[in-house]
Each structure stands twice: as C-alpha cells, then as structure tokens.
C-alpha cells in the first residue's frame, strides 16, 4: 500500500535519510523502530511531503506522491499524528476536531465526533476546554482523534507512547488494535520494542537514515542481536 | 457635558473605519505572517470605488449598496493581488513579502491617480442621514449615530465568522500552526487567499463607510496606515476585541485632542500608545511572539565572509572612478552622485541593523530626518557655525536612537518593527505640528554649509569621504567582536546569552550606532540641499530604505549599498515619466518575484553558476568530481 524507495532527505545541508526503503501492506500495523535521532520523524515527514525528499520515491496505492503538496497527500487518506502533538492550544477540543474533519473516502470508516468521544472517553468530558488546558495524555488522545476526523485509511503515529502515563499507553494500544480491526493500516514509530510488541505485525528498524531490518516481529524476536545493535532497551 | 458626549459619539463613530482596517490587517498577519503595508491602499480604493458607485446607484439603497459593493470589489482586488503577487513569494525569506506590498502601494497610488484624478473627492451625504441631531444642545451628525450602530454590527459579524464557523476555526488554527493545518488536509493556499481577500474587503468597507465624513483623497493610504499600526500595536496583533478597543481609544483621544490640544493631536496618540506598552508590552489583548511557533523553516544562513581580493579590487576601482568624477563629470552629475552617496549611507545603516542584528526597523527615516533636523534647528535657532551643527547631527540622531531603541527593544519581531514605525511617526508629527520651532510643513530653509564647503565639488568630496568612510566603518564593525556578538544574538538569543553576551544591550548599542550613521547621512543631506522638510522623516522615506535593503539583499554585506545606488539611479530616470510610481511599483514586484534573494544574492548565485565566483555551486561540483 505504501512503498518507499531510495529516499534521501535533507535539512538544509544535513543529510538525514540515506537511500531509505521499505514497504507497508494494507491492513498491517508496522513499527518503525530506531534510536533517538535515527530518522523516524524525518521518515514520516518525508512520507507526508512535509520534508520533500531530494531523491527517491514515495508511492501510495501505486501512485507516486513525491513532491506533492502536503494537503493533497492528506486528502489521499494519509493521516499524520506528529510526535510533538501540535494540537491547537487556543482552540477547544471540539474545534481541534473540526480542523481535522474531511469528507469520507471510499472504503474508510467515517468518524464522527461522537464515535471518537466513545473511543477516548476522557476527551468527551473536556470537549469545551481549550487545548492548553489538557494533560499530556489528553493531548495525545486529541491529536490522534483530530487525525481520525479526516477519515484516513493509513495512519502515521510518531512515538505515540512517548511521555505519557502507563494507563494511557495501554489505552493507546487498545486504540491501535481497534483501528486495525476497522481495516486501517498503521505505521507507528518507537524507540524500543515494548509498545511495538503489543500492537505491531511487522517491524522496520532504521539507523542513521538507512533500513537495517525489515520483517515480522517473530523474526525480530528470533534475532536478539539485531535488537541489541539498533534499539535502546 | 453636552459637548463631552457629542465628542464621545464622534470619537466612537470615527473608530468604525479604523477598526475595520485594523482588524483586516491583524487577520492577514495572523494567518499569512505578512505585514500588509498595502492595507492603506485597499482602504483608499474602497473609498474611491464607493464614491463612483454612489454616483451611479440611486437613493438610499444605492448608497448602502455602494458601500457593500465597494467592500466586495476591494476584496476581489485583494484576492487577485494575493494570487498574482504574494503567492509566488511565500517561500522567500520572511519579511521579503513586505517589499512586494510596497510595490502594490505604488501601483495602487498611480492607478488611483490615473482613474480618479488628483482632486480630493467630497463624499456624498448619506440619504436620509443629512444634518445633525441635538444631544443636550450639542450638534451630532446623524451619520455618526448610524456609524455607532453599524460598526458593532460589522464587528459582531466578524466575530461570528471567526468564532463560530469552520472557516473561522481554520483561520485560528492556521494562526497558530499553519503547517499542521496543511498536514490535516486543508489547502493553505486557498486559506491564505481567502483571509487576504477578507482583510482587504474589510479595509475597502472601512474606506467606503467613511466617505460622508472624510471623502476620498490620494493621501489616505499612508494617513490611515500609521493609525492602523498604532491600533494594532495597542490592541495586540491578531486580537479582534483588541483592535476594536484600541480603535475606540485612539479615535476618542483624537477627537478630544482636536478640541483641547489642537497643536499636538498626533503626538497625543503616540503618548497613549507608549503608556499602554509600558504596562502591557504586547498590547491590551496581545501575546508575546514565540519564535518557531508557526512552523516556519528557512534556509540556514550563509556565513558572511570578509571580501576576497577580487571584490576588494573591484570596490577600489569603483571608488577611484567616483573620486575622479569632477574631472569628467558635469556639476549636475556631482550633485546626483552626492545624492546617491548620501542615500547609500542611509540605506547601509538600515542594512547594518537588519542584516547583522536581525532587527527590522520600519521607521529608520526618523534618524535620517532626525539628523537633518538637528543640524537645521541648530543653524536656525542659534548662531552656531555649520561645522558644529554638522557634527551634532549624527550625535543627536544616535542619542535619539538610543532612547527610542531602549523602549522598542522591550518587544521583539514584528511588534518591535511596528513600534519603531510608531516612534518615527511621533517624531514626524512633532516636526509637522510644532510649527514655531520646526517651521512645520514649510520646513527649514537657508541651511547652507560653511564658505569653504559651499562648492559643489568640495561638498561632493566631503560626501564621498564621509559616506564611504561610514560604510567602511560599518563593515569594520561587522567583522569586529561587537559585530559577532550582534550576529550571535540574531541567530540564537539563548545560545548567545549562554556565552555571556548581553543580547539586549548589544542590540541596543547596534540600534544606536545605526541611528547615528543615518543621522550622519541626514546631516550631509540638509547641507547639500540647503533645506529640510518633514517628508524626510515620513513613512515613505523609511519604506524607501527598506525596499532598497530588501532588493539589494539583506543577507549580503553589499546589499544596502548596491540596492541604494540602483534605486536612486533608477528613480532619477523613472521620475521623468508622469506615472513613475506605477513603473517603479511594477518593477519592484517583478524583482521580488524573479530575485527572491535580492540583487546581490541573485547576482552572486549567477556568478557562481557561471564560474566567476567560487561558492556553493563550484564547491558542490568539485565534490562531485572528486567523488567520481
Ligand atoms: N529541523 C532540523 N534541522 C536539522 N537537523 C534536524 C532537524 N530535525 C532533525 N534533525 C536531525 O536529523 C536527524 C534525524 O532526526 P529525526 O527527528 O528524524 O529522528 P528521530 O528518529 O525521530 O528521533 P527521536 O527518537 O528523537 O524523535 C537527527 O540527527 C536530528 O538531529
Ligand atoms: Mg522523532
């Protein structure tokens, strides 16, 4: 469904992704793993064309989307949940969801506010509050809910378990399983295996902007030396 | 009491147009990060278009319809301007878009002159609202009462749009993080266009609404701009309630000022502004700007290198050619060269400030004109020798810059810039209104240099030495530890502080130094012309300097000088045409779109590509060759 080949991405002159390539099949949950600074966020931004790759191609459903404007990529059904959350702190929860709202595409779940409040009960209680009044965990839920309002068929989650309480991490895992059951494809990034083990079917490990491993979690478990070489514990 | 209430009502009525223009400016800035200097021009267009429509459409329906249609028409014009002029330059460095809006000002000014002619137009009276009603015995125009009702309605509609509709939600979201809005599938380009059209439409509406009170004239564009900047600074950038409250405060203060302090109405407004800022630095409802809040990314800055031998030789040859001018040039060419030199020094001083310290001043003419007025006032009011007056020009301007800089540096970014403009306008209004001392509009005349300098060629050499000397001095400072400290503060406030640099202090001194150099240029100017008028301090003069610096290229050391020489030379040729503003404006817009790195930056890129200069391109090619 999503295919990256020979991606090279830069920030100014800093060469961050180096001939990076991997693919994600429809309906899978794939974990993009790598240490601090490995290039996970840059990979996600390169998929969304928020960082336009200098060379290489990103194909989505067979279509080359390299160099497209970001909003068009989003309109195709790719939903991006940024690491820093980037919720609109001056807007209320409901308004944040409104920004994300897009018409449904064929074959995607059509989310409504009420469905999302069911999925994230904490948000329901705070729907009239401004983003800045939310806790870290609530903000994390809001940023996912906001992206789901766009009815994506493919969700990019950048370090969804980072910096939130264990209870909420569990809730996140539940949400991802739910999304998978609804037929969505998910690419999530993590620095370690803990969270990925609970939700992912496959893993891609990157280091220094290059793919070091691509395979199922079972394969990864069979090779602890790979994990030790490229991941933090 | 009756008079008081009558004046209060007039003040509130006057606030209407001001609020509409200011809220438009504020909205546009919030979403696009563009300070739309052309906003006054859209206001003016609204007035003229409204006037014409009122001539055509009959009766009360025609009158109000004309106002509405004028707003819509100006909105459409704004939309076209956004698509044709601004869209191509959104990717350019921040603030570069400003120059494009300067171009728009010039184009609109001349088109208006072309279509409607130079005469001031008297606004038609509103049907059914002619004459006055008496409130406690005092006459209040009926139209003022109407405005009193209309303005809150417009404000409420605007509030509804922003607070209650999807468009409003998107606008507010984009004001905070426009990249994220794009990542959620919203086409930013159309959001920008929409907001720009809305903002311009509001300005047009304001212009048409005030027709029965103020009519239409060709100075409206700049006249409203100052007031609008003051309103936005007082109210807080991006806040609609702030814009409303500030518009009311300013208009009421103005009306009372006209009655009780007719000599200092303008000054009074700025006093109010400074008072507000002392208590709330980001305006009544504003919030501090947070760097990087808006997800903007820019190219990393190229380090400024000391000039190579090639460049040095070129510059030396240029100076030698110039110094020999009296040998082959006419006296007129020497006068022209003196003008250009002075302007180069003035532009270079602004360039020094912007390029090295990253501080953008919208009101640099204050120090140029300030220097000129210091010298002229001393000559006029005391019997000091010219030499003393001349030396005091840069000193006076430098001190002024230190005082103003001290206040302005409490703010950052665009607030800082607007505040510098407000102060420049304060000085301008002082000079303009304090007729007994400054001569007001008539200026100060008969300010001639001492006998030994009173010769075109001798004065040309004086200008040559001082201007080149001043520019070299600034270059020298740029490469001194002080210059490095300025640049460190520009690039990263926090890191510079961490290395022990007192950033605010360094910036303050830099501001003072730039002001002093502008004052030197001003001193030369007044003695070369023999007179000085308030327009040497006005916004347009500050804008000239800004245009020149941006067109020359902010990030190159030569930018200011090259831009200034090009601009003055061009102006000399173009001003012979009747509609020279139109030509200049179109030229500016063209350069902005084609050369987003400025003349020097673009020339360097071309030269590098052609292999004349070593740089980026050659280095990359070498690296490739070595790799292969
Ligand atoms: N805006 C930027 N400008 C320059 N370099 C950057 C920028 N953003 C990231 N980098 C660099 O690019 C590399 C990859 O960063 P990236 O954020 O993609 O890593 P990551 O795997 O997401 O790390 P983390 O786990 O910390 O989120 C790092 O070395 C980082 O320093
Ligand atoms: Mg990251």
């Amino acid at each position: 469904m999503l295919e990256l080949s020979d991606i090279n991405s830069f920030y100014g002159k800093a060469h961050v992704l180096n001939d990076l390539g991997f693919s994600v099949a429809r309906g899978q949950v794939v974990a993009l793993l790598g240490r601090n600074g490995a290039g996970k966020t840059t990979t996600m931004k390169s998929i969304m064309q928020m960082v336009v790759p200098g060379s290489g191609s990103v194909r989505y459903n067979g279509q080359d989307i390299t160099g497209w404007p970001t909003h068009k990529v989003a309109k195709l059904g790719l939903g991006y949940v940024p690491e820093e959350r980037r919720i609109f702190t001056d807007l209320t929860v409901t308004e944040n969801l409104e920004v994300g709202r897009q018409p449904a595409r064929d074959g995607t779940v059509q989310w409504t506010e009420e469905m999302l409040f069911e999925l994230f009960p904490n948000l329901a209680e705070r729907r009239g509050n401004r983003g800045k009044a939310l806790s870290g965990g609530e903000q994390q839920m809001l940023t996912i809910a906001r992206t789901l309002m766009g009815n994506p068929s493919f969700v990019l989650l950048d370090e969804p378990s980072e910096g939130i309480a264990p209870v909420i991490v569990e809730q996140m895992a539940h949400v991802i399983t739910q999304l998978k059951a609804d037929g969505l494809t998910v690419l999530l990034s993590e620095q370690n295996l803990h969270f990925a083990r609970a939700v992912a079917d496959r893993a891609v490990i990157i280091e220094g902007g290059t793919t070091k491993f691509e395979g199922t979690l079972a394969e990864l478990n069979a090779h602890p030396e790979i994990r030790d070489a490229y991941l933090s514990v | 009491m009756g008079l008081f209430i009558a004046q209060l009502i007039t003040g509130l009525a006057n606030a209407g147009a001001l609020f509409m223009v200011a809220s438009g400016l504020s909205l546009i800035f919030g979403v696009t990060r563009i300070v739309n200097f052309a906003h006054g021009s859209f206001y003016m267009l609204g007035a003229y278009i409204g006037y014409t429509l009122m001539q055509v459409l009959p009766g009360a329906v025609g009158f109000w319809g004309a106002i509405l249609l004028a707003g819509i028409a100006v909105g459409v014009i704004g939309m076209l301007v956004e698509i044709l002029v601004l869209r191509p330059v959104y990717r350019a460095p921040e603030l570069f878009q400003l120059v494009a809006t300067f171009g728009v000002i010039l184009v609109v000014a001349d088109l208006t002159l072309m279509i409607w002619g130079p005469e001031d137009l008297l606004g038609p009276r509103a049907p059914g609202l002619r004459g006055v009603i008496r409130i406690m015995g005092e006459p209040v125009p009926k139209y003022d009462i109407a405005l009193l009702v209309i303005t809150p309605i417009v404000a409420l509609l605007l509030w509804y749009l922003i607070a209650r509709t999807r468009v409003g939600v998107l606008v507010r979201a984009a004001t905070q993080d426009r990249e994220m809005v794009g990542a959620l599938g919203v086409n930013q380009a159309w959001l920008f266009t929409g907001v720009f059209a809305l903002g311009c439409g509001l300005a047009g509406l304001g212009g048409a609404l005030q027709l029965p009170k103020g009519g239409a004239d060709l100075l409206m564009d700049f006249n409203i701009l100052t007031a609008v900047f003051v309103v936005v600074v007082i109210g807080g950038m991006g806040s609609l309630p702030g814009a409303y409250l500030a518009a009311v405060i300013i208009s009421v203060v103005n009306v009372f000022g006209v009655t009780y302090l007719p000599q200092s109405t303008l000054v009074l407004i700025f006093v109010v502004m400074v008072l507000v800022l002392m208590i709330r630095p980001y305006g009544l409802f504003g919030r501090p700007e947070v760097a990087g809040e808006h997800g903007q990314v820019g190219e990393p800055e190229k380090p400024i290198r000391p000039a190579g031998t090639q460049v040095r030789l070129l510059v030396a040859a240029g100076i030698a050619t110039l110094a020999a001018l009296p040998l082959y040039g006419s006296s007129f060419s020497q006068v022209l060269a003196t003008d250009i030199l002075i302007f180069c020094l003035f532009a270079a001083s602004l360039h020094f400030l912007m390029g090295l310290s990253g501080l953008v001043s919208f009101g640099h003419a204050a120090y140029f004109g300030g220097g000129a007025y210091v010298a002229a006032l001393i000559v006029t009011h005391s019997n000091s020798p010219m030499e003393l007056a001349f030396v005091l020009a840069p000193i006076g301007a430098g001190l002024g810059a230190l005082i103003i800089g001290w206040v302005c540096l409490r703010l950052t970014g665009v607030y800082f810039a607007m505040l510098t403009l407000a102060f420049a306008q304060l000085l301008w209004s002082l000079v303009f209104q304090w007729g007994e001392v400054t001569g007001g509009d008539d200026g100060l005349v008969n300010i001639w240099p001492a006998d030994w300098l009173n010769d075109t060629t001798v004065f040309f050499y004086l200008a040559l030495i001082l201007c080149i000397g001043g520019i070299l001095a600034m270059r020298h400072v740029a490469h001194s530890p002080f210059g490095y400290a300025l640049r460190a503060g520009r690039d990263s406030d926090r890191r510079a502080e961490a290395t022990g640099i007192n950033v605010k202090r360094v910036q303050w001194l830099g501001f003072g130094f730039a002001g002093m150099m502008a004052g030197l240029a001003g001193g030369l100017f007044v003695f070369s012309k023999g007179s000085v008028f308030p327009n040497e301090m006005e916004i347009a003069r500050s804008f000239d300097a800004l245009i020149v610096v941006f067109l020359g290229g902010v990030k190159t050391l030569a930018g200011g000088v090259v831009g200034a020489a090009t601009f003055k030379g061009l102006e000399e040729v173009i001003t012979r045409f009747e509609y020279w503003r139109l030509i200049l404006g179109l030229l500016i817009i063209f350069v902005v779109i084609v050369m987003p790195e400025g003349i020097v930056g673009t020339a360097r890129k071309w030269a590098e590509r052609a292999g004349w200069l070593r740089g980026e391109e050659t280095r990359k090619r070498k690296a490739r060759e070595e790799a292969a």
Side-chain angles (χ1 to χ4, degrees):
Chain A
M1 182 174 211
L2 179 76
E3 203 176 328
L4 278 69
S5 34
D6 300 324
I7 298 281
N8 285 284
S9 287
F10 304 80
Y11 291 109
K13 277 181 206 134
H15 194 161
V16 175
L17 298 187
N18 229 317
D19 289 338
L20 179 91
F22 64 86
S23 57
V24 179
R26 185 182 300 275
Q28 283 184 337
V29 176
V30 174
L32 179 65
L33 304 169
R35 286 208 186 94
N36 220 319
K40 304 180 292 294
T41 300
T42 312
T43 304
M44 299 226 167
K45 288 193 170 168
S46 300
I47 295 170
M48 291 304 292
Q49 307 302 316
M50 293 162 85
V51 171
V52 179
S55 68
S57 73
V58 181
R59 304 180 79 81
Y60 183 71
N61 287 335
Q63 199 168 15
D64 189 349
I65 58 170
T66 331
W68 281 31
T70 300
H71 71 94
K72 276 199 176 159
V73 176
K75 279 231 156 77
L76 269 188
L78 283 136
Y80 171 59
V81 181
E83 184 178 5
E84 325 85 304
R85 300 180 189 135
R86 291 170 76 168
I87 58 163
F88 305 108
T89 49
D90 286 344
L91 273 56
T92 63
V93 168
T94 321
E95 287 173 339
N96 267 280
L97 296 180
E98 176 62 31
V99 179
R101 194 164 61 93
Q102 292 287 333
R105 265 167 299 272
D106 294 341
T108 57
V109 196
Q110 174 148 27
W111 294 91
T112 61
E113 260 173 49
E114 289 316 313
M115 286 160 72
L116 286 166
F117 286 144
E118 227 164 88
L119 194 59
F120 302 102
N122 311 36
L123 287 183
E125 292 159 24
R126 316 216 51 179
R127 62 182 86 190
N129 288 79
R130 280 175 198 262
K132 60 181 154 213
L134 304 185
S135 70
E138 287 166 340
Q139 292 195 347
Q140 183 66 43
M141 293 175 195
L142 178 56
T143 179
I144 295 178
R146 182 180 64 180
T147 298
L148 290 179
M149 278 299 279
N151 306 311
S153 35
F154 192 119
V155 182
L156 301 144
L157 290 168
D158 202 354
E159 302 205 23
S161 75
E162 192 198 15
I164 50 177
V167 203
I168 304 189
V169 174
E170 233 166 80
Q171 216 178 329
M172 285 296 156
H174 167 74
V175 167
I176 292 167
T177 321
Q178 181 77 46
L179 294 182
K180 187 182 155 154
D182 287 337
L184 269 71
T185 313
V186 178
L187 178 68
L188 63 95
S189 84
E190 282 294 329
Q191 295 197 14
N192 55 49
L193 267 170
H194 303 307
F195 187 69
R197 271 209 187 99
V199 291
D201 309 310
R202 292 172 65 83
V204 175
I205 297 183
I206 62 172
E207 167 82 20
T210 336
T211 316
K212 299 291 182 182
F213 170 88
E214 193 178 351
T216 62
L217 274 190
E219 283 165 358
L220 186 55
N221 285 334
H223 295 278
E225 73 280 2
I226 297 180
R227 184 193 63 199
D228 294 343
Y230 299 119
L231 302 179
S232 33
V233 227
Chain B
M1 191 60 202
L3 183 66
F4 182 85
I5 291 178
Q7 288 189 324
L8 198 63
I9 290 174
T10 307
L12 285 169
N14 290 350
L18 197 51
F19 161 72
M20 287 170 210
V21 185
S23 57
L25 185 87
S26 213
L27 270 176
I28 291 176
F29 177 79
V31 174
T32 64
R33 298 273 118 189
I34 291 179
V35 180
N36 180 24
F37 276 113
H39 219 60
S41 306
F42 291 109
Y43 168 74
M44 179 167 81
L45 272 181
Y48 276 98
I49 293 175
Y51 178 88
T52 300
L53 288 173
M54 284 173 193
Q55 307 295 311
V56 182
L57 305 173
V61 176
F63 177 85
W64 296 108
I67 290 179
L68 205 61
L69 283 176
I72 293 171
V74 174
V76 171
I77 295 171
M79 180 148 88
L80 292 177
V81 167
E82 200 274 346
I83 293 175
L84 297 176
V85 179
L86 294 175
R87 226 182 245 195
V89 292
Y90 276 130
R91 288 187 176 279
E94 205 171 348
L95 284 180
F96 198 70
Q97 296 90 350
L98 279 188
V99 188
T101 67
F102 290 144
V104 173
I105 295 180
L106 295 172
V107 171
V108 170
D110 257 7
L111 286 180
T112 312
L113 173 66
M114 237 182 229
I115 299 172
W116 285 281
E119 307 293 330
D120 289 0
L121 301 179
L122 200 62
R125 304 268 153 217
L129 293 171
R130 288 164 230 261
V132 298
I133 57 166
R134 297 211 166 256
I135 294 181
M136 297 167 92
E138 290 294 330
V140 176
K142 282 186 190 158
Y143 192 67
D144 279 6
I145 306 277
L147 283 181
L148 222 52
V149 181
I150 293 169
T151 310
I153 292 176
V154 174
L156 269 176
L157 284 175
L158 198 56
W159 169 84
Y160 182 82
L161 177 75
I162 298 298
R164 288 282 181 272
T165 65
R166 172 168 169 85
V167 172
V169 170
L170 293 181
V171 165
R172 281 180 290 140
T175 301
Q176 212 181 341
D177 186 343
R178 51 194 204 195
E179 192 194 34
M180 194 62 225
V181 173
L184 289 168
V186 178
N187 186 349
Q188 289 182 61
W190 284 110
L191 193 59
F192 280 25
T193 309
V195 167
F196 202 84
L198 174 65
C200 292
L202 279 168
L205 192 65
L209 258 183
Q210 64 79 53
L211 268 172
K213 290 173 71 79
D217 62 74
L218 290 167
L219 297 178
M220 286 172 81
D221 50 354
F222 278 121
N223 285 346
I224 189 97
L225 203 56
T226 320
V228 165
F229 273 27
V230 170
V231 164
V232 170
V233 168
I234 291 184
M237 203 76 185
S239 160
L240 289 181
Y244 190 72
L245 189 58
V248 168
I249 292 175
I250 288 304
S251 305
V252 171
V253 164
N254 197 31
V255 169
F256 282 105
V258 168
T259 319
Y260 301 108
L261 290 165
Q263 288 304 301
S264 43
T265 45
L266 295 169
V267 179
L268 199 63
I269 289 174
F270 293 106
V271 172
V272 171
M273 183 188 78
V274 172
L275 282 180
V276 170
L277 291 179
M278 284 290 166
I279 303 161
R280 293 192 59 91
Y282 291 92
L284 295 171
F285 289 83
R287 285 181 317 163
E289 265 186 316
V290 180
E293 181 182 21
H294 305 281
Q296 264 157 333
V297 282
E299 280 273 299
E301 190 114 345
K302 278 188 207 140
I304 295 177
R305 291 182 300 264
T309 341
Q310 247 174 336
V311 177
R312 273 168 202 247
L313 281 177
L314 211 67
V315 171
I319 295 178
T321 319
L322 206 54
L325 182 66
L327 298 180
Y328 58 83
S330 63
S331 148
F332 171 73
S333 71
Q334 291 172 41
V335 172
L336 180 61
T338 307
D339 279 0
I340 293 179
L341 280 167
I342 293 172
F343 191 62
C344 283
L345 178 60
F346 171 41
S349 70
L350 177 63
H351 184 261
F352 171 88
L353 186 68
M354 286 174 49
L356 286 185
S357 62
L359 297 172
V360 180
S361 166
F362 289 168
H364 205 54
Y367 314 105
F368 176 76
Y373 265 98
V374 166
L377 286 170
I378 289 172
V379 169
T380 310
H381 294 288
S382 74
N383 261 330
S384 321
M386 171 265 174
E387 291 85 349
L388 179 67
F390 181 69
V391 170
L392 285 175
I395 295 177
L399 283 177
L402 283 179
I403 295 169
I404 293 174
W406 182 79
V407 181
C408 294
L409 278 168
R410 294 161 59 96
L411 307 187
T412 54
V414 71
Y415 285 90
F416 170 86
M418 293 208 167
L419 203 51
T420 57
L421 178 98
F423 270 105
Q425 285 304 100
L426 167 63
L427 286 181
W428 174 84
S429 33
L430 258 181
V431 166
F432 192 79
Q433 289 196 317
W434 201 7
E436 306 94 77
V437 175
T438 60
D441 205 13
D442 298 329
L444 295 169
V445 291
N446 282 326
I447 319 289
W448 294 110
D451 286 340
W452 63 280
L453 282 169
N454 209 350
D455 170 87
T456 308
T457 305
V458 176
F459 200 86
F460 164 69
Y461 278 116
L462 179 75
L464 183 72
I465 291 167
L466 288 178
C467 291
I468 305 260
I471 291 165
L472 290 179
M474 284 189 270
R475 270 197 81 100
H476 186 73
V477 171
H479 292 292
S480 74
F482 180 70
Y484 291 121
L486 270 178
R487 273 184 259 166
R490 171 197 68 191
D491 293 340
S492 169
D493 206 330
R494 233 171 299 150
R495 249 177 291 160
E497 294 276 0
T499 56
I501 298 168
N502 182 343
V503 173
K504 281 276 177 249
R505 198 185 144 79
V506 170
Q507 288 180 334
W508 182 53
L509 292 176
F511 195 80
F513 183 66
M516 187 175 84
M517 285 303 178
L520 178 62
L524 281 168
F525 173 84
V526 68
F527 289 110
S528 79
K529 295 282 177 238
S531 59
V532 60
F533 301 95
N535 60 352
E536 293 312 321
M537 291 182 120
E538 72 185 9
I539 314 184
R541 189 68 72 245
S542 295
F543 284 8
D544 282 351
L546 276 170
I547 292 176
V548 156
V549 170
F550 276 117
L551 287 192
V554 181
K555 294 183 176 178
T556 52
L557 274 183
V561 175
V562 172
T566 315
F567 184 83
K568 265 285 171 203
L570 209 66
E571 202 182 50
E572 187 61 31
V573 179
I574 288 180
T575 42
R576 291 176 198 159
F577 297 95
E578 189 180 354
Y579 293 110
W580 62 273
R581 281 193 206 86
L582 181 66
I583 303 172
L584 187 62
L586 290 174
L587 214 58
I588 288 173
I589 293 171
F590 174 78
V591 173
V592 165
I593 294 175
V594 179
M595 305 182 173
E597 289 173 62
I599 299 172
V600 176
T602 306
R604 184 158 74 191
K605 208 160 81 186
W606 288 347
E608 281 173 11
R609 216 170 278 168
W612 296 336
L613 261 180
R614 268 199 306 140
E616 288 322 289
E617 300 288 324
T618 13
R619 228 171 292 140
K620 266 190 210 154
R621 202 170 46 221
K622 275 237 179 78
R624 268 201 298 273
E625 281 163 8
E626 271 160 30

